[in-house]
């Protein structure tokens, strides 16, 4: 019997050996369970398929605002006569969470309404989009989208607004304290526009941002996957939206931070628990999100039911 147990352990992937329990070391469970990140071996999706692993983010259904910010689109998923309505608001990093919300529609009797846009922000602050061809027009349109979303969501009166954003442009008119202080103040004002109308909001802390194309890195280093990891202090920058949410000290606004599933105290691996985390320079793979959503579900349910 001992020999059989030793053989079974030997056949486990490297990331599972630390706990001798593969389920405890699979996907988003791995880092909180102190499982070692493998430096080689199989992972899914593999490097050749990771870049296209974004099913369910609303792209196929044309749910996003147009790239020139001229046309504002929404989509509705789930049950048409649902008990609960959830609004998903933000840029491409918010769109990553559409897939879990769609999957939870039957379980939680949900209607999910999306307000998504690429490279823009739901904030009370005019931001320099950096469009060299259209210039200030794009800045104005981005700001107009944010104001439109707030009007639409307050009129919709959803039971919960879920929002997250990657924040990486510069305000046109920075406030005292610089860029980060401007983002924080702008987000605080925007969130207050919801809470003043009695809206419940769940802010999801943004995911780490590698700043480099991860799948090609993994393809280039199949026996040294750690070369594609990054320092936590570099990949996981302070989140101004989260800071704004906490500064309001309002029970209508909740924050969920899943960073412990993506980074150790010092490092953010590119492959965790046998799963490829990133599909490009900043977005997560749908496969990884499917695993990570397990840990979003409880705070989501509590926020939805206003517990």
């Amino acid at each position: 019997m001992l020999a059989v147990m030793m053989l079974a352990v030997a056949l486990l992937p490297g990331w599972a050996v630390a706990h001798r329990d593969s389920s405890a070391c699979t996907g988003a469970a791995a880092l909180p369970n102190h499982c070692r990140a493998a430096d080689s071996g199989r992972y899914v999706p593999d490097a050749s398929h990771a870049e296209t692993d974004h099913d369910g983010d609303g792209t196929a259904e044309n749910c996003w605002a147009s790239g020139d910010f001229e046309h504002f689109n929404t989509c509705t998923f789930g049950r048409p006569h649902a008990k609960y309505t959830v609004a998903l608001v933000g840029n491409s990093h918010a769109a990553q969470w559409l897939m879990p919300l769609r999957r939870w529609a039957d379980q939680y009797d949900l209607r999910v309404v999306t307000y998504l846009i690429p490279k823009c922000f739901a904030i009370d602050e005019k931001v320099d989009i950096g469009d060299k061809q259209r210039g200030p027009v794009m800045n104005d349109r981005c700001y107009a989208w944010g104001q439109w979303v707030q009007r639409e969501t307050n009129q919709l009166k959803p039971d919960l607004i879920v929002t997250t954003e990657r924040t990486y442009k510069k305000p046109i008119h920075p406030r005292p304290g610089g860029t980060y202080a401007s983002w924080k103040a702008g987000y605080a004002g925007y969130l207050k526009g919801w809470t003043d109308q009695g809206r419940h909001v769940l802010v999801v802390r943004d995911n780490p941002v590698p700043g480099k194309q991860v799948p090609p890195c993994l393809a280039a280093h199949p026996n040294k996957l750690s070369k594609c990891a990054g320092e936590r202090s570099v990949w996981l920058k302070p989140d101004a939206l989260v800071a704004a949410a906490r500064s309001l000290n309002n029970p209508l606004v909740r924050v969920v931070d899943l960073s412990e599933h993506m980074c150790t105290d010092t490092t953010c691996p590119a492959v965790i628990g046998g799963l490829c985390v990133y599909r490009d320079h900043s977005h997560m793979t749908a496969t990884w999100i499917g695993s990570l959503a397990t840990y979003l579900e409880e705070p989501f349910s509590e926020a939805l039911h206003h517990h």
Side-chain angles (χ1 to χ4, degrees):
M1 178 64 72
L2 178 61
V4 172
M5 290 178 63
M6 291 177 65
L7 176 61
V9 168
L11 292 175
L12 284 173
W15 41 264
V17 172
H19 276 245
R20 310 295 193 265
D21 179 356
S22 59
S23 63
C25 293
T26 300
L31 293 188
N33 284 323
H34 307 291
C35 303
R36 295 195 301 268
D39 227 7
S40 62
R42 292 181 58 194
Y43 55 87
V44 292
D46 62 26
S48 64
H49 294 93
E51 293 180 18
T52 57
D53 188 22
H54 57 84
D55 288 346
D57 66 358
T59 302
E61 296 84 357
N62 195 32
C63 297
W64 297 38
S66 59
D68 59 5
F69 306 161
E70 194 168 357
H71 304 288
F72 304 159
N73 302 328
T74 68
C75 284
T76 301
F77 299 95
R79 299 187 172 195
H81 305 291
K83 180 178 181 180
Y84 299 104
T85 296
V86 174
L88 177 63
V89 175
N91 54 30
S92 60
H93 281 215
Q96 300 178 118
W97 293 108
L98 177 56
M99 180 186 66
L101 293 176
R102 293 171 68 171
R103 289 181 176 176
W104 294 337
D106 287 339
Q107 179 181 351
Y108 290 100
D109 197 3
L110 299 179
R111 175 174 64 129
V112 180
V113 184
T114 64
Y115 302 87
L116 303 172
I117 194 167
K119 301 177 181 178
C120 178
F121 315 91
I123 188 171
D124 273 349
E125 190 78 41
K126 281 200 175 183
V127 177
D128 184 1
I129 301 302
D131 190 303
K132 295 180 180 179
Q133 292 182 333
R134 288 166 287 198
V137 172
M138 293 293 284
N139 304 337
D140 292 342
R141 288 177 182 173
C142 176
Y143 182 78
W145 175 83
Q147 299 304 300
W148 172 79
V149 168
Q150 189 149 99
R151 291 193 303 271
E152 289 289 310
T153 49
N154 279 330
Q155 184 176 353
L156 180 68
K157 298 180 180 178
D159 298 279
L160 180 66
I161 297 170
V162 177
T163 187
T164 185
E165 291 195 324
R166 181 187 174 199
T167 305
Y168 59 101
K169 300 289 186 178
K170 292 185 177 181
I172 294 175
H173 302 293
R175 308 187 191 199
T179 297
Y180 183 79
S182 300
W183 278 107
K184 181 180 174 182
Y187 277 130
Y190 199 89
L191 292 170
K192 195 170 184 300
W194 279 328
T195 59
D196 284 351
Q197 298 298 315
R199 305 281 75 80
H200 287 255
V201 184
L202 179 64
V203 174
V204 182
R205 198 236 190 271
D206 192 23
N207 59 264
V209 175
K212 63 182 179 181
Q213 294 291 337
V214 171
C217 179
L218 294 173
H221 302 285
N223 297 313
K224 196 69 174 176
L225 301 179
S226 58
K227 283 186 172 291
C228 305
E231 295 181 18
R232 179 185 177 117
S233 61
V234 175
W235 284 20
L236 195 66
K237 297 293 187 182
D239 189 319
L241 176 55
V242 166
R246 288 174 171 157
S247 73
L248 293 180
N249 195 27
N250 188 320
L252 294 176
V253 181
R254 306 177 190 219
V255 173
V256 58
D257 185 347
L258 302 174
S259 301
E260 68 169 342
H261 298 278
M262 305 191 73
C263 301
T264 67
D265 290 343
T266 58
T267 306
C268 301
V271 174
I272 300 173
L275 302 183
C276 176
V277 179
Y278 305 97
R279 62 179 175 85
D280 57 18
H281 64 285
S282 75
H283 299 95
M284 299 178 285
T285 64
T287 301
W288 172 257
I289 292 168
S291 179
L292 189 61
T294 302
Y295 303 95
L296 176 65
E297 185 172 1
E298 184 176 348
F300 167 78
S301 177
E302 291 176 351
L304 177 68
H305 299 112
H306 306 166
H307 289 166

